[in-house]
């Protein structure tokens, strides 16, 4: 019998992150995600994932400058991308834009920064193009989160919203053997190159069962509109056989710890004076969804996943819905690259087996 969806199959030993689905705990290289989201910015999370340690002040400054330079180079390359960023889907734009990079021409020392910088610049340039605006040049003096927000959001950036985006990027940077990370590791396991691995991972992240969920979560909150309409809306969706986006998870049997981290980050934003009307609605919808799903399938515990509050936080910091999945990629590329390096260092070719259930030729096999 095939192991449908590879559930529970261990495909690698990793030092990068651990997802405890029973207890709802995410550990990234020895640090709880709750602690990291409060104390680290995206640069620090990249350093942790790529080198194994949180950086000191000097290493942090160097990585920040390196990412700034990489964003600058990615911006210079935009002019040579042809129609790669013309489409209506940001993930397709990322896939096409990144595919222009040639691993053989990149400095191996700069490769992680190069790809990480490129994802942010491509996502922001695509978003501005959608609004009919020319891309904004990066500011290498800013942190990655602040500069991405400045380039991508129609509302620009400010310290409170940049800090909230940092919390999101840190929270979403790595998460065990999720589908896109597995994809990246499969590509790396063939001794292919990191650009190819990241392009393939973008393809996996794009799907609504993975990184494509937060856009539909926001659409759901808007369709529900008011807490008192949540129960009937969710009942109709379930009756129609549709899934409630932002709910359920392959590994977590309790609430995704990242949902709580992001929920608290939105609270901090509100405390700093920013409005987020959707937070209260989201909490009400979550409660109704958990109760409705629990009634239908008491044995399969379905709770909110990271995407539920991703929608709320990215909306609160002023990113449009169509940028939600690309912003996930801005974060997760850090984890992909760490996994690609780990796989390249020690992993064997990933080549599982399948069980053939098709017809056999009528002639018996030769002895
Ligand atoms: N809404 C309604 N029902 C759901 C559900 C959801 N969000 N998530 C799972 N279920 C149901 C399934 O329909 C299935 O019921 P069935 O056996 O009657 O068909 C049962 O729960 C088990 O689900 P399963 O498909 O085995 O879970 P999975 O581990 O394969 O899938 C997800 C995990 C995340 C893909 C799934 O929960 C989902 O589709 N969630 C919505 C999309 C989403 O938020 N994705 C972001 C993930 S971070």
């Amino acid at each position: 019998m095939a192991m449908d969806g590879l559930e529970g199959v261990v495909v690698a030993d990793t030092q990068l992150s651990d997802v405890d689905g029973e207890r709802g705990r995410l550990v990234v290289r020895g640090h709880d995600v709750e602690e990291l989201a409060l104390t680290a910015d995206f640069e620090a999370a990249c350093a942790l994932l790529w080198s194994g340690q949180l950086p000191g002040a000097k290493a942090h400054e160097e990585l920040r400058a390196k990412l700034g330079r990489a964003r600058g180079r990615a911006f210079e390359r935009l002019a040579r991308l042809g129609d790669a960023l013309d489409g209506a889907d940001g993930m397709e734009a990322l896939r096409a834009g990144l595919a222009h990079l040639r691993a053989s021409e990149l400095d191996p020392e700069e490769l992680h920064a190069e790809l990480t910088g490129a994802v942010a610049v491509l996502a922001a340039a695509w978003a501005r193009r959608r609004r009919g605006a020319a891309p904004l040049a990066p500011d290498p003096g800013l942190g990655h989160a602040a500069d991405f927000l400045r380039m991508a959001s129609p509302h620009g950036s400010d310290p409170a919203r940049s800090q909230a985006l940092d919390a999101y990027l840190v929270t979403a940077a790595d998460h065990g053997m999720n589908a896109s990370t597995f994809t990246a590791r499969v590509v790396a396991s063939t001794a292919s190159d990191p650009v190819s691995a990241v392009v393939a991972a973008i393809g996996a992240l794009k799907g609504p069962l993975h990184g494509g969920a937060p856009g539909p979560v926001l659409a759901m909150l808007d369709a529900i509109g008011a807490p008192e309409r949540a129960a009937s809306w969710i009942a109709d969706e379930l009756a129609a056989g549709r899934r409630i986006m932002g709910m359920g998870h392959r590994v977590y049997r309790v609430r995704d710890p990242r949902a709580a981290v992001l929920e608290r980050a939105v609270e901090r934003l509100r405390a700093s004076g920013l409005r987020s009307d959707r937070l209260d609605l989201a909490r009400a919808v979550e409660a109704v969804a958990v109760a409705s799903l629990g009634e239908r399938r008491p044995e399969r515990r379905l709770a909110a996943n990271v995407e539920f509050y991703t929608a709320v936080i990215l909306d609160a910091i002023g990113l449009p819905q169509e940028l939600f999945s690309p912003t996930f990629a801005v974060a997760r590329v850090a984890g992909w690259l760490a996994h690609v390096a780990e796989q390249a260092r020690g992993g064997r070719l990933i080549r599982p087996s399948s069980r053939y259930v098709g017809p056999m030729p009528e002639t018996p096999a030769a002895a």
Side-chain angles (χ1 to χ4, degrees), residues 7 175 207-214 217 238 241-251 253 256 258 293 296-297 299-300 302-303 305-308 328:
E7 185 160 358
H175 197 242
L209 299 189
H210 189 8
V217 169
L238 292 176
R242 287 190 284 271
R243 292 182 177 207
I244 309 302
M245 288 291 141
M247 303 299 296
H249 197 270
R250 171 58 63 81
V251 183
R253 291 294 165 263
D256 185 332
R258 299 168 300 169
L293 290 165
R296 278 170 65 98
R297 296 281 306 264
E299 78 295 348
R300 170 95 170 141
L302 296 170
N305 63 48
V306 66
E307 308 296 11
F308 201 86
F328 193 168

Side-chain angles (χ1 to χ4, degrees), residues 222-262:
D222 285 347
I224 292 174
E228 58 277 13
R229 294 185 46 202
S232 64
W233 194 93
I234 285 171
D236 289 349
E237 286 294 290
L238 292 176
R242 287 190 284 271
R243 292 182 177 207
I244 309 302
M245 288 291 141
M247 303 299 296
H249 197 270
R250 171 58 63 81
V251 183
Y252 292 119
R253 291 294 165 263
V254 293
R255 196 177 192 235
D256 185 332
R258 299 168 300 169
V261 169
L262 299 183

Side-chain angles (χ1 to χ4, degrees), residues 176-219:
M177 197 51 64
N178 59 88
S180 57
T181 296
F182 181 52
T183 305
R185 284 192 80 125
V186 169
V187 175
S189 85
T190 71
S192 181
D193 66 275
V195 175
S196 303
V198 167
V199 170
I202 293 278
L205 187 70
K206 177 173 181 281
L209 299 189
H210 189 8
V217 169
L218 195 70

Side-chain angles (χ1 to χ4, degrees), residues 126-151:
W126 170 80
R128 286 185 62 85
R129 203 179 186 95
R130 291 269 295 155
R131 303 199 291 273
L136 269 186
D139 178 347
L142 289 177
H144 199 66
D147 203 22
F148 173 64
L149 198 56
R150 187 185 66 82
M151 291 187 291

